[in-house]
Amino acid sequence: MGLTRRQFLKWSGATGVGAVVFAGCTVPEAEIRVQSPLLLPEDLVTGRDNFYATTFQDGTSSEGLLVRVMGGRAKKIEGNPDFPLNTGKHGIRSEALLQALYHPDRITGPFIRDQKGGTLRSITWPEALARLAEILKDADPASVLMATAPVRGQLAAVTSRFAAAYGAEHLGFDPLGNTVLRKTMVDLYGQEALPDFDLAKTNYLLNFGADFLGTWVAPTHFMRGYGEFRQGEKRSGRRGHFVHVEPRMSTTAASADDWIYVNPGSEGLLAMSMAYVIIKNGLGNADAATALTGGRGAAALDRYEPSKVSAEIGITGNHGADRIEQLALAFAAPENRPALAIGGGGAAAHTNGLFNMKAIYSLNFLVDSVHQPGGLIFNPSRLVTQIPAAPLRTWSATVERMRAGAISVLLVRDANLVYALPGSLKAEDALRNVGAIVSFSSFADETTAIADLILPGHTPLEEWGSDTPDPGPGYATIGLQQPVANPFSNTMAFGDVLLATAKELGLEGDLPWENMREAVQDFMRGIHAADRGSVSGGTFAEFWHVALQRGGWWDDKNLVISDQARPPQLPIVPETPELKGDAKDYPFYLVPFESQSLGAGQHAHLPWLQATPDPMTTIAWQTWVEVNPRVAKEMGIRNDDVVVVESGTGETIEAIVYENPATPHTVVAVPFGQGHAQSSRYAANRGFNAFQLVGTLEEKETGALAWAANRARLAKTTKRVSTAKYEGSVPAYELPDDKIIHITRPE
Amino acid sequence: MLKVGAPLIGLAIAVVLVVAAIFLFKTWWGTPPTALGFSVLNLGEGPTQPIAFPHTVHVQDAGLDCQFCHRTVSTEEAAGIPAVQQCLFCHDLGRIDGSSFDANGNKVPGTESPEIAKIRNAFYGNPDTGDGPAPIDWVRVHRMPDHVQFVHSPHIQAGFSCSTCHGDVASMVKVKQVQDLKMNQCVDCHRQNNAPTDCATCHY
């Protein structure tokens, strides 16, 4: 049989394909390349790793860090064992700072928008700085607003001095800020600085709503204390007892010995009822009881008798009142001293938040835990000014001023107003009426995306700074922040931009420093002159070197000496929480909560944090709604169904159902953090923004955002989404010698 | 049953054998080319680099030590490729470069080389084309398979000379691989020097 033309073609084709296949077996092109980088890494000479100490301020918390650097590149972050607040441990948000440094969607240099709504054009730094100076020269200082995340340390000194010298208003923005907590500390204890909690020595911890092991105030610091509280070697075998009061099963609730459900906003009522029981039984400090009741004794608090309030609190059943009574007696029992009551989070985020918080923290007077070992420990007054978060009341008024065109220039750094102000404020529309928005953020978040001029700042690993933690560990503490790597992009530190601009505007009399490094050094000269604390003596150069090496300076031998503050009188009539939406139309309490990894959304651009499973549900990358399984069954919904969550404001988001037997049937819980339209490829168009659901109700006295004061209802959709979660990916086995402990009542 | 003619089967076998032969040649005897003892299809030469960097000039004439550029060879896994900036230690303006004259106004040798101009263009950007600064992508000459971990530092610290494996690079205008660096060579040398020969020494 001869070879036909057709067969010849067929076989030559096959041979060609074979040749391609085998050529594919050789080494890929990328592996044949070996690259000469452009610049010499500064410390590659020895090829060894270097560790640099620095500090990271994340909202209220402050963590001292050691960063491993090789070849000029930051490689790994660990806690600084010397730093008093985190003593060698660190949180996931610190760990993920590396990803901010190397992020593919960082703003790579200054940009300008020639006209509103136009496209961004890349410019040089001299041009950008000149443009900023020009904008500020042309504007009326009274119509200029600086909005930043709450700042401390020398950056706070520089920003506040800049704002004051220029004449602009400066507001801190933190959607879940601690305004109510701060006000409570001032009103009850006369303390400007937040106190530390001496968890390590406490025997009985009573916590109302504060997720202090997850997100609240300074979780890494509190976890160190909590570890000691539970199994510390110095405790002579006595394990601390922990009772947690919260409407949702949070990470902290899951760690408690007793988790007590209360209706959202009634935490203060429970605390008052406990105070009544303690005073009535004569268990508390008699002087404190007299002061708290205005000398009238338990009779003054009659209104809070357990049987009268247990239903309102939500501790129901035949023995609801007994339960409150037992709790109060246990808390005040002499054998359980030192006992400590703390509160925050959702308990403060109601219209009666200050009432709640004052009631909670007043309990400490009764058990002698104010500025005592095992109780609250006061911190020294602040070393530097700090810019706390302004309350919603201020922000609402400011947004209205923007809408009216009364703000000509907005300077914004890490304050994502468009994303995190309550949806009903329509902040984005208002911001479009601002003459010029200048953003100093490192990432194109929703607010930066509508900016007219972008001067991107360094990430925390690239800049100089200092932090004076608030709360501190009970003594004066300074964390030093130094660049651990050269700037990775064409960015400039926010503080340096302000100092350069001050010079341009002729304000150098108030801001005499060349750059942030000098500003920090100048501040540390004062500390050196005091000649005490963890680093002291020597020349300033020596002092500076050693302080940088250790990550800061602290004065642990000088504790605060303070008289026991005199307790104010407790209110005779309770304040009831107001909720958006009525119970008939909106059957559930909406309990939004801060995401342990993403915070209030400010960390959503970091993929490690996106991929970190929520500790309770194990869900990552998505927005879910926690629903009680019985409620889900009644509604005909199940895990992975998409539902519409509508809050009392009428605003809606979609979320994936997560059935959780620990979710009370009165509650639906949704995490903050997702639902970005911008903020990098890892955050954009993922999940939904729970701030949309939050109404504009304020805490009555402080004007803080009452983000927990909403009701909600759910509506079914036909959509289903496969949830990215860890749970259920590995089957559970019952080991022969290890019985599974059921924590919920069987059906 | 389908009947296939004998010539077709013969052709199929021939094709498979040829393809297999090409595969074997490329993957096993292809590197290093000298294993064959002769050069085929340019395979006996070292690869052409983006810049014709002559080791001869730098080592024999200028007297540089290998570690001057390959800085991490005694401390790390990779010997390291120098940064472009390091080339400019000598080849920057006013030194050995295209500016033609030194500080005293004397002509500097090696100036008009277009290869040196490439280095300056990589570092500063090319004014003619408008390209910005860019790293140089060299072509790798020595490459271990993915399942082999070779760490330079212990070998250098044990006192071995670079030329043991890399040959006399100092006299190579165009660097090529001279040893086949297959597993038998590794194991032989490890045995001769009482170095460990567990699998996990290199395969981990």
Side-chain angles (χ1 to χ4, degrees), chain A residues 360-426:
Chain A
I360 293 161
Y361 283 92
S362 292
L363 291 175
N364 292 311
F365 287 116
L366 290 171
V367 292
D368 294 322
S369 288
V370 180
H371 199 51
Q372 293 294 324
L376 296 156
I377 303 288
F378 293 153
N379 269 302
S381 52
R382 291 175 197 146
L383 290 162
V384 198
T385 26
Q386 70 179 47
I387 313 298
L392 177 73
R393 189 174 292 164
T394 314
W395 277 110
S396 299
T398 308
V399 168
E400 286 321 308
R401 277 172 64 206
M402 289 178 188
R403 208 184 308 281
I407 290 182
S408 62
V409 180
L410 171 66
L411 308 178
V412 61
R413 157 89 176 161
D414 293 344
N416 196 353
L417 307 176
V418 172
Y419 170 83
L421 279 170
S424 47
L425 279 181
K426 307 276 180 242

Side-chain angles (χ1 to χ4, degrees), chain A residues 56-98:
Chain A
F56 173 48
Q57 182 198 342
D58 171 38
T60 326
S61 95
S62 179
E63 292 184 6
L65 307 174
L66 289 183
V67 186
R68 178 169 175 253
V69 178
M70 276 189 97
R73 292 272 180 267
K75 302 270 184 182
K76 177 73 173 77
I77 290 176
E78 302 286 356
N80 178 356
D82 279 350
F83 199 69
L85 281 161
N86 52 316
T87 53
K89 303 293 170 187
H90 65 297
I92 41 174
R93 297 181 196 172
S94 295
E95 177 83 21
L97 279 180
L98 289 178

